[in-house]
Amino acid sequence: MAPFSVSWHTLLEELDDLSEGATLLTPLSHDRFRVTDVQEQRVVIEFLDREIDETRPLQRDQFETLYRRITEESGDFELDRLPPDADPYPAVLSLHPRFEINEDQGVIVEKEGATTSQLLDTEDVSEPDEQERTQPDLNVYADALLLVDALERHEVDVLEEIDSDALVNLYTLLSDVQRNANDLRQDVADVLLQRLHHDRLVSGPFGSVQRTTRRNRALKDDEEVLQTLEEAGIDRERVLGVDHEKVDDALDVTELSESDVYEVKESEYVRKAEVDEERKESRLQGLKDQLAATDGEDAEELRQEIEDLEARIDELTEFKSGQAYHTQAGGGP
């Protein structure tokens, strides 16, 4: 096996050959960063997706530790064994012609022949301009656009002063957005689940996510459970309870009322009964036509309004490290 110094200088040569603005991606947190300085004993990187500009030196001895763990074990190293905040190291090491990251298996491997790196293509990292934006064919997008329009037309901070028909429209749109957003949220979660490793935190501009495990329990067959407990010295009478379905069957054949065996509490709520999809689609198309027809001074004014709105959104959704946000999403009634 060649000494690490040979591999290190090969890596430094690859880093020196990087084009200006070349961007790499960490394999676990998927943070984008660039190499800003290459020295004999360290590599200095700058993260691109952090709220505050952050540079970090990556030390040669840490690269050597990672190199030896890969080469002296089984030819690969599991990424989730990395220390916290250390995943820039394998990303940089992947530029070496003998090392490659396999995100699906969660490892960095040494291999012969052609390898891939964590270097992003130029088109992958360029910021899309306003002209490149498209209107996604998603229900949640259409409903959200209608909701924003409705919110701008009413003083929603004083709901008591809004007419009932306007409140009905708001409630309908809020319910539709909630339901469709939750469906899309689950689709996004399914894809993220394939990219997250164990309990490692992954951060984006607006927040953080991590992979967690939820335990669901279901009793085995009744007789099997009772027999197992009896063998452990537990009488079956101690675990036998009241079956709601059997109680309801008994009420059907007796003169007992529901209140004789149930504690009944009633509460009132608003339930969405129906949606006028044609009316929504007509209004939505009108908004789209209005946006498409906007040009000249009106276009500049609209762009300024969009910038102001985005600034407000950034302020409201700003993520501060060290704070935990707990959210619970549920379907609309």
Side-chain angles (χ1 to χ4, degrees):
M1 181 180 64
F4 172 71
S5 59
V6 175
S7 295
W8 175 246
H9 285 96
T10 299
L11 178 61
L12 295 185
E13 291 174 1
E14 296 290 336
L15 292 172
D16 286 333
D17 290 340
L18 286 178
S19 61
E20 183 178 356
T23 303
L24 291 94
L25 189 71
T26 60
L28 295 179
S29 60
H30 293 97
D31 286 331
R32 298 187 306 148
F33 68 92
R34 290 174 181 163
V35 176
T36 59
D37 193 14
V38 179
Q39 304 173 12
E40 178 61 32
Q41 296 299 322
R42 66 178 188 168
V43 176
V44 181
I45 65 171
E46 178 183 15
F47 288 100
L48 304 178
D49 298 323
R50 307 289 173 89
E51 292 182 2
I52 301 176
D53 293 340
E54 179 182 346
T55 60
R56 183 188 304 176
L58 306 180
Q59 304 296 337
R60 168 180 167 151
D61 59 348
Q62 297 299 318
F63 280 104
E64 182 173 5
T65 299
L66 176 60
Y67 169 86
R68 298 199 180 284
R69 288 188 175 180
I70 299 170
T71 58
E72 294 178 0
E73 294 185 10
S74 57
D76 61 35
F77 180 77
E78 296 179 1
L79 296 174
D80 58 11
R81 294 170 56 191
L82 289 168
D85 300 325
D87 56 339
Y89 283 92
V92 173
L93 187 57
S94 74
L95 294 173
H96 191 288
R98 287 206 337 268
F99 294 95
E100 180 178 78
I101 289 175
N102 187 325
E103 288 200 34
D104 292 336
Q105 297 182 9
V107 297
I108 179 171
V109 300
E110 181 183 23
K111 58 183 293 187
E112 299 292 340
T115 59
T116 60
S117 72
Q118 294 299 102
L119 189 64
L120 296 178
D121 293 334
T122 303
E123 54 267 25
D124 291 336
V125 300
S126 61
E127 294 293 337
D129 58 28
E130 200 68 29
Q131 285 70 34
E132 293 176 339
R133 292 189 176 185
T134 59
Q135 297 179 358
D137 186 18
L138 295 172
N139 291 333
V140 66
Y141 175 82
D143 288 332
L145 184 59
L146 289 170
L147 177 60
V148 170
D149 177 65
L151 292 174
E152 290 176 346
R153 292 173 178 274
H154 303 286
E155 296 291 338
V156 293
D157 53 339
V158 190
L159 294 175
E160 292 76 10
E161 297 182 4
I162 301 179
D163 294 339
S164 296
D165 59 343
L167 287 175
V168 170
N169 286 340
L170 282 173
Y171 186 87
T172 301
L173 290 171
L174 287 166
S175 180
D176 288 346
V177 169
Q178 182 186 38
R179 182 189 67 251
N180 293 322
N182 194 56
D183 290 342
L184 181 59
R185 180 185 66 89
Q186 187 57 56
D187 292 340
V188 172
D190 291 341
V191 176
L192 272 176
L193 193 61
Q194 306 302 318
R195 302 182 182 180
L196 303 179
H197 299 282
H198 299 285
D199 292 331
R200 186 177 295 273
L201 196 69
V202 178
S203 299
F206 296 149
S208 299
V209 297
Q210 64 183 146
R211 183 172 184 160
T212 57
T213 301
R214 180 187 293 113
R215 294 179 69 248
N216 294 318
R217 300 191 309 166
L219 283 173
K220 298 179 179 179
D221 179 75
D222 290 353
E223 191 58 37
E224 181 180 354
V225 172
L226 292 173
Q227 182 176 349
T228 300
L229 292 176
E230 284 184 333
E231 292 174 355
I234 304 297
D235 293 336
R236 63 173 57 203
E237 286 77 9
R238 291 182 57 183
V239 296
L240 293 178
V242 177
D243 188 306
H244 285 233
E245 292 185 0
K246 293 181 179 179
V247 170
D248 290 339
D249 291 340
L251 289 178
D252 291 337
V253 296
T254 66
E255 295 182 357
L256 294 174
S257 66
E258 183 184 40
S259 61
D260 289 331
V261 293
Y262 281 105
E263 291 289 344
V264 180
K265 294 182 179 179
E266 293 184 353
S267 60
E268 296 180 348
Y269 67 96
V270 175
R271 181 178 67 86
K272 183 182 66 179
E274 61 182 21
V275 178
D276 191 337
E277 294 292 350
E278 292 185 2
R279 185 70 174 270
K280 284 173 57 179
E281 182 60 32
S282 176
R283 179 59 185 160
L284 178 62
Q285 189 58 49
L287 291 172
K288 289 182 178 180
D289 293 342
Q290 179 181 349
L291 291 174
T294 303
D295 56 11
E297 295 182 359
D298 290 338
E300 182 60 32
E301 182 179 350
L302 177 59
R303 278 192 292 271
Q304 184 59 49
E305 291 179 358
I306 292 174
E307 291 177 1
D308 293 341
L309 178 59
E310 289 177 338
R312 286 163 51 198
I313 292 174
D314 288 340
E315 180 180 355
L316 291 173
T317 59
E318 180 181 4
F319 175 77
K320 296 180 174 60
S321 59
Q323 293 181 332
Y325 297 88
H326 301 279
T327 60
Q328 182 177 2

